[in-house]
Amino acid sequence: LNEGSTQSGCYNADTDVVIPTTAVLVEQGPLACRLPVLADTRADSRARPHLAFFAGKLDSKIRRDIAKAYVDTPAFYLPARLASGDPYLCAMASSTFCLAPRGNAAWSPRLDEALYAGCIPVILADNYDPPFSSVLNYSSFS
């Protein structure tokens, strides 16, 4: 088992398995928020008023660059804008895209949370095999 980084030198895509994180906040989500999933072509676009969502520690250059570039962009839902008591995954589910940039490791729980929240994950990590990439065609939904 590995974090999926092909740079680490200890990961072999032919023999190793990358499993998803267990840190997903399952008590919330699009069903709890009563938001339509994006696959529903009849879904009202007002149900997802934000273009993108980004949260997480600013522990890598790409994360710091994203936070700095979009801090004043209303279309981006950033953690500082979460209203008191606003469920985290409901904030994700109110966005069309959810950014999943690498941190100190190639993986991020944001990928799994994005899938659960029903938004389109944007994976921002070089040299990374996401969980179950041998059976899931990530380019078809991210």
Side-chain angles (χ1 to χ4, degrees):
L1 302 176
N2 187 277
E3 52 135 327
S5 174
T6 59
Q7 282 185 307
S8 67
C10 66
Y11 174 70
N12 181 334
D14 295 328
T15 58
D16 295 341
V17 174
V18 179
I19 59 171
T21 180
T22 59
V24 177
L25 303 170
V26 296
E27 73 276 1
Q28 304 168 0
L31 298 178
C33 304
R34 301 192 189 336
L35 294 174
V37 295
L38 288 175
D40 184 354
T41 57
R42 299 164 293 153
D44 188 337
S45 63
R46 290 173 292 178
R48 294 191 183 256
H50 304 287
L51 176 63
F53 177 92
F54 168 66
K57 295 178 184 174
L58 302 180
D59 58 1
S60 67
K61 181 177 181 336
I62 190 165
R63 288 174 176 234
R64 288 187 294 276
D65 289 349
I66 291 167
K68 182 178 176 182
Y70 297 106
V71 68
D72 294 321
T73 305
F76 274 71
Y77 207 142
L78 301 174
R81 295 192 197 142
L82 285 173
S84 178
D86 193 6
Y88 175 84
L89 284 177
C90 286
M92 290 184 87
S94 71
S95 302
T96 301
F97 299 96
C98 291
L99 305 184
R102 72 172 295 130
N104 286 329
W107 72 278
S108 167
R110 241 58 65 214
L111 172 60
D112 306 318
E113 292 167 349
L115 294 172
Y116 184 75
C119 59
I120 300 167
V122 179
I123 302 169
L124 301 168
D126 294 332
N127 305 309
Y128 172 57
D129 277 342
F132 308 117
S133 60
S134 62
V135 293
L136 295 175
N137 181 4
Y138 277 86
S139 65
S140 70
F141 62 86
S142 65

